[in-house]
Amino acid sequence: MAVELDEGQALVLWCLMLPELRRAAAAGRWSERLERTAALVRDGGSALDACRRFDLVPGADSDSSFRGIGDPPGVTGAYPDPRGPRPPSTGRGEYRCPRGVCGRHDRRDDEGRPPVCALFDDEPMLPTGSPR
């Protein structure tokens, strides 16, 4: 059974998983393909298509033509679940997307660093009370 995500949920999932995808892509030598897809999403393309392309949607029928021999089937266990009320948190204060593009909210990491947006080149996320 496929997991049903809408475009907004897929964008949150894509943003959360992009750092892990980049690590896997660097190890598997498919970074160029990943960065082309990331650029498409950054420019307003479908995050849902990108998530499907890189097998981030459990139970979805993925198009195997996008994956090369030896490439991992995707990153499993996407955490936190974008459908949950809020991601697990540490530290103080809540942060939001720096560009106001997606509904991702996050908190500081265990070392107290504010979260960053992987989609927009690790741009720091903004405190939820800040304008923009």
Side-chain angles (χ1 to χ4, degrees), residues 70-110:
D71 286 347
V75 181
T76 58
Y79 180 77
D81 183 345
R83 292 165 308 284
R86 291 279 185 229
S89 59
T90 39
R92 303 181 78 170
E94 199 167 271
Y95 294 80
R96 64 177 172 78
C97 178
R99 306 276 177 106
V101 173
C102 79
R104 179 179 165 204
H105 284 78
D106 211 341
R107 294 190 179 249
R108 292 177 179 265
D109 68 12
D110 291 336

Side-chain angles (χ1 to χ4, degrees), residues 16-38:
L16 285 168
M17 296 307 298
L18 196 51
E20 182 65 27
L21 282 171
R22 284 182 169 143
R23 283 189 286 278
R29 297 186 176 150
W30 42 274
S31 294
E32 186 176 315
R33 181 170 49 96
L34 176 63
E35 293 307 322
R36 279 193 310 265
T37 303

